[in-house]
Amino acid sequence: WTDYNGGTCWLKSGKISFTPCPWCRSAVLRSGPFICGSASVNQTDYQGVVNRTISGRTCQAWSSQTPQQHNETPDTYPFYGLDSNYCRNPGGESKAWCYTTATNVRRE
């Protein structure tokens, strides 16, 4: 299946592997089973380090309220890894996403 930011996740012999998108090949990736996020739970378990939207916009830090004000904070969702500005899915949307730092695009 395809990761939210253009990478590819695949399952072989019961192990999930990840090939990052071309523009983030040098990214340091977290290890463990949650790097890709499970399609069966809409990537609510995603714990990777993608911090750009599918269109290339920079993600806003979850602890920030600028420029986008929101309720999805590390305090309100303590078990979803809302550290830094990584894509996550704390509310169970269709896939991992983030608020953007672009004033004209709230989230992707």
Side-chain angles (χ1 to χ4, degrees):
W1 65 93
T2 300
D3 178 74
Y4 185 69
N5 204 31
T8 302
C9 297
W10 45 277
L11 185 65
K12 183 177 181 182
S13 301
K15 183 177 180 180
I16 294 175
S17 296
F18 178 70
T19 303
C21 59
W23 59 86
C24 53
R25 289 199 186 280
S26 63
V28 176
L29 301 174
R30 293 181 182 181
S31 60
F34 306 115
I35 188 84
C36 297
S38 304
S40 63
V41 292
N42 297 334
Q43 291 185 311
T44 55
D45 59 349
Y46 174 69
Q47 294 294 301
V49 293
V50 171
N51 64 0
R52 291 198 171 273
T53 68
I54 197 160
S55 65
R57 291 181 175 87
T58 300
C59 292
Q60 174 181 306
W62 293 96
S63 59
S64 175
Q65 294 293 319
T66 305
Q68 315 300 341
Q69 293 186 0
H70 59 90
N71 296 321
E72 292 87 356
T73 67
D75 290 335
T76 57
Y77 290 89
F79 304 110
Y80 285 86
L82 302 183
D83 52 335
S84 193
N85 65 334
Y86 304 132
C87 294
R88 298 289 184 258
N89 190 7
E93 302 291 327
S94 62
K95 56 187 169 184
W97 58 276
C98 69
Y99 291 104
T100 77
T101 57
T103 56
N104 62 331
V105 177
R106 181 164 169 77
R107 59 181 255 183
E108 282 187 314

